[in-house]
Amino acid sequence: MLKIQNLHAEIDGKEILKGLNLEVKAGEVHAIMGPNGAGKSTLASVLAGKEDYEITKGSVEFEGKDLLDMETDERAKEGLFLAFQYPVEIPGVSNINFLRTAINEKREYLGQEPISAKDFMAMVRERSKLVELDSKLANRSVNVGFSGGEKKRNEIFQMAMLEPKLSVLDETDSGLDIDALRIVAKGVNALKKEDTASIVITHYQRLLDYIVPDFVHVLYDGKIVKSGPKELALELEEKGYDWIKEEVVNH
Amino acid sequence: MSVAEFVKNLKPNNSEFGLKSKALLEGKDFPTTKDEYWKYTRLRKLTKNEFYQKDGSISTDLNSIWKEDIPNRLVVVNGIYSPELSKHNLNITSGIESIAKEIPGKDEINSGDDQIFSLIGKAFAQDGLKIDLNNTKEWDELQIIFVNTQNGAIANSLIRIKASKNANARILCNYVSEGAGVGFTNSYFNLETEANANLELINLQAENPNCFHVQSVNGVQARDSKISVWNFSSGADLIRNNVNIRQDGKGCDTHVNGLYYGEEKQHVDNHVFIDHASEDCESNELFKGVMNGQATGVFNGRVIVRKDSQRINAFQQNSNILLSDKATINSKPELEIYADDVKCSHGSVTGQLDENALFYLKARGISEDRARKMLVSSFLEEVVETLATEELKNYVVRQMAQKIDLLDHE
Ligand SMILES: Nc1ncnc2c1ncn2[C@@H]1O[C@H](COP(=O)(O)OP(=O)(O)OP(=O)(O)O)[C@@H](O)[C@H]1O
Ligand SMILES: [Mg+2]
C-alpha cells in the first residue's frame, strides 16, 4: 500500500528526514516511536503534502502511484488520512459543512454521486457515536473551543467519516485520559479492514495495548533505525532510547 | 486639481440649495493625500476623466437583481428616477424641488471633511428622491437599483429618507453599471429618524471595474431611534464611502457595518463618523475586508463622545485579510472622548489567510480553490450575520459572489 524509499526532506535548509525507508501493506498496523524532534511529525506532514518541506531525495509510492507528485487534497481523495498532532481551529467553518464538502469532493473525484443529506446525517450520527463525540460539536466551527481530548476525538470522527485506506495518526493519544484513549482506540479498531492500514505515531506503549501493532519502528535522527514486533514497544518503554542511540553510533 | 475643471461639462440645477452648493465649490480644489481624511485615497484616477450628465435607456437585466420578496421597487438611471421601471405604494416624490427644502446647502454634520462630493452632488444633480416612511406596524421594504450607463456618465443621486415616529423601514440599494468607458456615481443620502424609528440602509456596490463611486450618507437621529447602515463593496475601481451619523436624542443606537473586497488595483475606502451628541446611546461598527492583487483598502472610524454624553457604549472593529503581499490596508480608529462615563473599544487586525487552516482543509481532500473560498467566506460571515433575515443574508452573499470569485455560496 505504502512504500517509502530513501526519503530525504528538509525545511528551511535543515535536513530532517535523512534516508527513511518504510513499507506498509494492506491490513497492517505500524507503530512509530522515537524521541522528541526525531522527525515523526515531519514524516506525517511530508506524506500529507505540506509544502514547507522540500523533498531532496527518495520516493513514496501509495497504491502504486507516486504520492509525492500529488497535491495535498488529491492524496486525501486517493485515501490518505492524517490525524494531526495539533488539530487546527477554523472559526466560521462548521465541522459538518466542512466534512460534507470533503466527502463530496472525494466522491466527485472517484466519479460518484454526491451523498444525500439524509445519508450524510445518518452517517454523522452513527460515526460520532462511535467516538462518543457530542453531536453538538459536529455543528460547531472546526475545533473551535474544543478541549484537547475533543479535538483528538474529532480527528478520529473525521477519519471515520472519510473512510481512508491509510491513516496516519500523529500522537492521537497524547493528552487523552484513559477513557478517551479507549474510545479513540475503539474507533480506530472498528474502522480496521483487510484493505486498510494505519501508521500510529506515539510515545506511549499504553496505546498499543488497545491498538495492537504488527510492527514497531523506532525513528531516530530522520531514519528508521530499528524495527521489531509489538514487544519492542515494551522494551522501549522500559529502557528508553539511549541503548538505541548507542547502537546507531556503534554501527 | 480644481473642482471647476472637473465640472466644466456639467449643468447646475437651479434649486436654491443647488446654487448655494455651487457657490461653496467656487475656487475649491479636490482634496489630496495631504488632507487628513484623504491621506490614503488618491483621487487622480477619478478626477482625470471627463464626465457628462446623461439620460439613457438601460439594458441591464434587473430581474437578476430584484430581491423577489420586496414589493417596492425603484430604478434610478444616471441619477434620474425612472417611473416606468419603478413600482411602489410608498410616499415617494421625485424632482430636485422635492428635496430642496429639506436638505440644507451645507451638511449639517461636521465630520471634519469638507464634503466636496456632497456639494458637487447637490449642485449638479438633475433629480432627487424624497422618501417618507411611516409604517409603524410592520417593516416597509424598498429596493432601489441605481444604474450608471458609463461612457463618461456622472450619476449624481440625491436621496432624502425620513422615518417618522415609530416607523420601521429597510432600504436595499444596488449599484450597478453597464456599457464601456468610465462611469462615476456620486450618491448622497440624507437620513432622518424621528423618535423610536428604526431605519436600515443596505448598500451593495457592484459596479464594473472602470467605475468610481463616492457615497455620502448623513444621518441624524432623534431619541430612541436606530439607524443601521451596511456597505457591501465588491466593484468599481475606486470607492469612497462616508457615513456620518449624529445622535441628537437620548437612547439612540447606531450600527455601521461593511464588507469589502478589492483586487487588481481597486481602492476601497470607508470613512465612518459617529457623533455621540446625546446620552445613553450606543454605536457599533464592524468592517471586514479582503484585499487581493495590488488592491488598497482604507478604514477610518472616527467617534466623538461629547462632554455631556454620559453612558455611551461605542464599539469598533476592523479586520482584514491580505491575500497578496502587494495588497495594503490602512486602518485607523479615532476616538475623541470628552465625557467620563463611557465604554469604548476598538480593534484592528490585518493578517494573511491562515496557512495551517488551509493545509488542514486540503488534507481532508478539499481542493485549494474551495478551501480558500471556505476560509474567505467564513471570515466575512460575521458581517453578513448582522443582517436581519436569512433571505437577506443569502441574497447579499449571492449578489456579492457574482463579483467575487472567492465567495462560497449555495
Ligand atoms: N521550520 C523549521 N526549521 C528548522 N527546523 C525545524 C523546522 N520545523 C521543524 N524543525 C525541526 O525538525 C525536527 C523534527 O520535528 P518533528 O516535529 O518532526 O519531531 P517529532 O518527532 O514529531 O517530535 P515530537 O515527538 O516532539 O512530536 C525538530 O528538531 C524540529 O525542531
Ligand atoms: Mg510530533
Side-chain angles (χ1 to χ4, degrees), chain A residues 48-51 72-73 76-77 81-82 84 88 90-93 98 102 105 142-143 155 158 162, chain B residues 354-368 370-371 374-375 378-379 381 408 410:
Chain A
K50 193 150 182 150
E51 278 150 17
T72 296
D73 61 303
K77 285 164 178 145
F81 181 89
L82 167 62
F84 284 73
V88 183
I90 314 182
V93 173
F98 142 72
E105 274 211 27
V142 178
N143 295 322
E155 293 293 288
Q158 291 174 31
L162 291 165
Chain B
D354 182 350
E355 288 298 325
N356 289 323
L358 200 58
F359 180 65
Y360 190 85
L361 294 175
K362 289 197 287 181
R364 295 297 176 255
I366 297 173
S367 64
E368 164 102 24
R370 190 68 198 267
M374 288 174 86
L375 293 178
S378 68
F379 170 74
E381 178 113 332
D408 206 25
E410 305 277 286

Side-chain angles (χ1 to χ4, degrees), chain B residues 231-233 257-263 268-270 286-292 295-299 317-324 327-329 331 348-353 375-377 379-383 400 404 406-407:
Chain B
N231 291 331
F232 293 97
S233 313
N257 299 329
L259 198 164
Y260 45 95
Y261 174 76
E263 58 187 15
V268 195
D269 174 350
N270 277 288
L286 175 66
F287 277 78
K288 283 191 152 186
V290 174
M291 293 285 113
N292 210 344
T296 48
V298 180
F299 174 77
Q317 177 67 36
N318 174 230
S319 314
N320 299 286
I321 287 184
L322 301 179
L323 293 179
S324 107
T328 54
I329 280 285
S331 175
S348 170
V349 226
T350 296
Q352 273 91 35
L353 216 53
L375 293 178
V376 167
S377 295
F379 170 74
L380 298 177
E381 178 113 332
E382 196 187 348
V383 177
M400 286 197 86
I404 310 177
L406 268 166
L407 275 189

Side-chain angles (χ1 to χ4, degrees), chain A residues 11-17 34-43 52-53 85-86 170-171 201 203 219:
Chain A
I11 186 162
D12 298 337
K14 186 181 169 209
E15 187 166 59
I16 311 288
L17 300 183
N36 293 128
K40 303 182 296 297
S41 294
T42 301
L43 172 63
D52 306 355
Y53 299 93
Q85 180 172 5
Y86 304 108
D170 191 0
E171 295 198 27
I201 297 170
H203 284 292
L219 204 166

Side-chain angles (χ1 to χ4, degrees), chain B residues 269-294:
Chain B
D269 174 350
N270 277 288
H271 268 65
V272 181
F273 172 53
I274 311 265
D275 187 347
H276 285 285
S278 188
E279 35 184 22
D280 297 301
C281 293
E282 198 167 313
S283 68
N284 259 289
E285 293 169 51
L286 175 66
F287 277 78
K288 283 191 152 186
V290 174
M291 293 285 113
N292 210 344
Q294 292 166 261

